[in-house]
């Protein structure tokens, strides 16, 4: 296939990359920062920005997860080439992150693209209240046309609450943002049957339909994790992304125009997702989370939900239970049957205060302007009256004790 003189390849990675709507691109330190000098690889970064601008121009949403803060910061602080202590790494990250964010701004700005820096910790993707906030912020940035550039908040994250590597962080970001593709730009062009640095018979795998134990063993978990460029963490990322309905690509990122190279048929490995992001999220809300409270709604709200709408405060008659913003709650019809589940945009005290009121009154009642919806339709699963009346107990906690 040829469009405007460009050869477009039909490898799974090339086709998948062109078809994706929301793409998370993970950029490793080794691509961005020259190992010998500790300086940014400007020409390469420029070419990445050109690729991103092309993706945006054809209507794709792009989130970048970029490493490089520590690698840049260590030179700026004169920390030398040796192994850094934790505090030195954190100091380097604090310094290098400024340079990193500025570099993205410098290369994307001329394309008319706003860059937004987002620093996350593991907790932001796990604690529900913060998860909902981070998700909403990313959604808003994308809607406004910005490119979020994300890194781990290395300066404050302590060992036990770290993602530790940006492969895993990028998979969590993909999950949180309901992305449909995660592209890992790496120092290896995909998954091999064995470590190609050691075994000359190792074969490249262009497509992984399912993460079987045999595939996972190719990451080196059972043998040695060295030499395959952190393949084990990449497969861990594939698992998180796949379960969230997000496909993943591992591609060589070194050459100039790394994304164009994949689209032109450059060697890469494509991992099929297990489901769609929409289904994964609905499953997560409807199944895994146990409700902490109930919202009893009127007939008008029942009809709105059945049509796929959001739950507005006006339709709520009664609020029971104790919950925080981001917790799961059950929605109950006037006859007491559970008809939906969703993530509450307000805690129970605020929910009681605004129940029965129009959204335009929220600010006056609470003193701040939150969401118009009590549960946004993206955060809601409607299942009609086919669930038993909820007891409000928490099976997650019951299992844990
Ligand atoms: N967050 C680290 C940094 O920006 C990198 C972590 C990684 O590369 O996996 O320097």
């Amino acid at each position: 296939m040829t469009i405007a003189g460009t050869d477009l390849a039909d490898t799974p990675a090339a086709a998948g990359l062109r078809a994706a709507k929301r793409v998370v691109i993970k950029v490793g330190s080794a691509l961005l920062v020259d190992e010998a000098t500790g300086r940014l690889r400007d020409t390469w970064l420029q070419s990445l920005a050109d690729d991103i601008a092309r993706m945006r121009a054809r209507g794709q949403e792009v989130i970048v997860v970029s490493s490089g803060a520590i690698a840049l910061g260590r030179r700026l602080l004169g920390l030398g080439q040796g192994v850094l202590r934790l505090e030195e790494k954190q100091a380097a990250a604090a310094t290098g992150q400024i340079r990193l964010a500025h570099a993205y701004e410098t290369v994307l700005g001329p394309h008319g693209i706003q860059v937004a820096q987002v620093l996350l910790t593991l907790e932001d993707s796990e604690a529900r209240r913060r998860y909902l906030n981070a998700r909403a912020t990313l959604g808003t940035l994308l809607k406004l046309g910005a490119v979020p550039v994300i890194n781990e908040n290395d300066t404050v994250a302590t060992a036990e609450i770290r993602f530790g590597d940006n492969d895993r962080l990028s998979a969590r970001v993909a999950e949180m943002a309901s992305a449909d593709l995660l592209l890992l730009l790496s120092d290896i062009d995909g998954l091999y049957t064995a470590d190609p640095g050691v075994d000359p018979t190792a074969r490249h795998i262009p497509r992984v339909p399912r993460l079987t134990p045999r595939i996972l063993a190719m990451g080196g978990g059972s043998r040695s994790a060295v030499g395959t460029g952190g393949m084990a963490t990449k497969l861990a990322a594939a698992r998180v992304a796949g379960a969230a309905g997000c496909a993943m690509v591992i591609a060589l990122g070194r050459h100039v125009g790394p994304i164009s190279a994949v689209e032109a048929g450059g060697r890469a490995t494509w991992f099929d997702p297990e489901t769609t992001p929409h289904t994964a999220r609905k499953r997560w809300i409807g199944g895994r989370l146990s409700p902490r409270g109930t919202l009893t709604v009127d007939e008008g709200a029942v009809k709105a939900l059945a049509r796929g709408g959001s739950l507005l405060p006006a339709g709520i008659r009664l609020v029971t239970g104790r919950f925080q913003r981001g917790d799961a709650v059950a929605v109950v019809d006037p006859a007491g049957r559970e008809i939906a589940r969703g993530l509450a945009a307000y805690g129970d005290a605020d929910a009681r205060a605004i129940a029965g009121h129009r959204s335009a009154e929220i600010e006056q009642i609470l003193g701040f302007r939150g969401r118009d919806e009590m549960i946004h339709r993206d955060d809601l699963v409607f299942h009609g009256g086919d669930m038993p009346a909820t007891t409000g107990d928490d099976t997650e906690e019951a299992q844990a004790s």
Side-chain angles (χ1 to χ4, degrees):
M1 186 169 35
T2 302
I3 292 178
T6 324
D7 284 331
L8 295 178
D10 281 321
T11 61
L17 189 49
R18 290 196 303 269
K21 292 194 282 291
R22 184 171 284 187
V23 185
V24 175
I25 302 167
K26 186 256 170 176
V27 178
S29 303
L31 305 176
L32 260 176
V33 185
D34 185 279
E35 212 183 315
T37 64
R39 288 177 194 280
L40 271 170
R41 296 177 64 222
D42 291 314
T43 313
W44 182 86
L45 184 58
Q46 196 82 53
S47 76
L48 176 72
D50 295 346
D51 277 353
I52 291 173
R54 259 188 325 99
M55 293 174 72
R56 299 269 317 125
R58 66 187 183 206
Q60 294 176 302
E61 292 175 325
V62 176
I63 297 174
V64 175
V65 172
S66 182
S67 310
I70 296 172
L72 288 169
R74 65 186 299 155
R75 179 181 66 83
L76 297 170
L77 290 176
L79 285 166
Q81 291 298 319
V83 177
L84 298 181
R85 293 199 312 267
L86 179 64
E87 316 83 85
E88 289 173 329
K89 272 195 207 162
Q90 295 190 302
T95 311
Q97 184 61 35
I98 302 177
R99 185 62 59 95
L100 189 62
H102 183 246
Y104 278 98
E105 191 175 48
T106 306
V107 292
L108 286 167
H111 291 285
I113 297 174
Q114 278 301 330
V115 170
Q117 173 182 269
V118 181
L119 299 178
L120 294 175
T121 60
L122 185 60
E123 267 196 308
D124 296 320
S125 76
E126 293 194 328
R128 282 180 213 141
R129 197 154 52 102
R130 292 166 74 170
Y131 172 95
L132 204 65
N133 279 345
R135 177 180 161 86
T137 305
L138 288 179
T140 304
L141 286 169
L142 291 173
K143 203 160 70 195
L144 295 172
V147 169
V149 174
I150 301 179
N151 198 355
E152 178 155 21
N153 196 349
D154 290 310
T155 303
V156 296
T158 53
E160 58 284 8
I161 55 154
R162 294 197 75 213
F163 287 103
D165 67 82
N166 279 6
D167 289 331
R168 266 184 273 242
L169 170 65
S170 62
R172 289 304 193 108
V173 167
E175 176 186 49
M176 196 152 68
S178 295
D180 48 1
L181 179 64
L182 168 61
L183 171 61
L184 299 183
L185 293 178
S186 164
D187 53 3
I188 185 162
D189 56 6
L191 181 67
Y192 285 77
T193 51
D195 183 346
V198 177
D199 184 346
T201 67
R203 275 179 303 109
H204 179 264
I205 304 174
R207 178 175 201 156
V208 176
R210 225 158 52 82
L211 284 173
T212 59
R214 236 182 93 225
I215 293 285
L216 292 171
M218 291 172 192
S222 53
R223 304 171 292 125
S224 126
V226 279
T228 51
M231 193 50 77
T233 67
K234 291 184 174 47
L235 293 180
R239 177 179 287 209
V240 171
C246 180
M248 191 177 100
V249 170
I250 301 175
L252 189 65
R254 282 215 161 266
H255 26 239
V256 165
I259 300 172
S260 313
V262 177
E263 285 174 25
R267 207 183 243 200
T269 299
W270 167 272
F271 296 79
D272 284 291
E274 289 170 28
T275 171
T276 67
H278 184 73
T279 311
R281 191 166 160 74
K282 295 275 164 165
R283 205 184 282 158
W284 178 65
I285 293 168
R288 222 194 65 183
L289 301 173
S290 4
R292 307 221 159 220
T294 60
L295 307 174
T296 305
V297 302
D298 62 22
E299 285 300 345
V302 174
K303 286 204 187 91
L305 297 186
R307 282 197 305 267
S310 299
L311 176 63
L312 301 177
I316 300 172
R317 286 181 171 176
L318 180 70
V319 178
T320 63
R322 298 290 302 266
F323 52 90
Q324 293 193 325
R325 171 174 155 75
D327 279 339
V329 291
V331 181
V332 172
D333 72 6
R337 282 171 309 178
E338 179 178 322
I339 53 163
R341 275 187 193 186
L343 307 181
Y346 293 91
D348 63 281
D350 289 347
R352 279 189 191 94
I354 60 176
H357 290 276
R358 287 183 300 118
S359 300
E361 298 172 84
I362 292 176
E363 186 170 6
Q364 204 195 335
I365 298 169
L366 298 181
F368 64 91
R369 188 167 166 215
R371 275 200 154 185
D372 285 349
E373 309 85 13
M374 181 63 209
I375 305 177
H376 189 272
R377 62 171 187 275
D378 288 350
D379 297 329
L380 187 129
V381 188
F382 181 80
H383 39 63
D386 53 3
M387 289 277 285
T390 178
T391 55
D393 64 21
D394 195 310
T395 43
E396 265 177 356
E397 269 177 9
Q399 273 162 12
S401 57

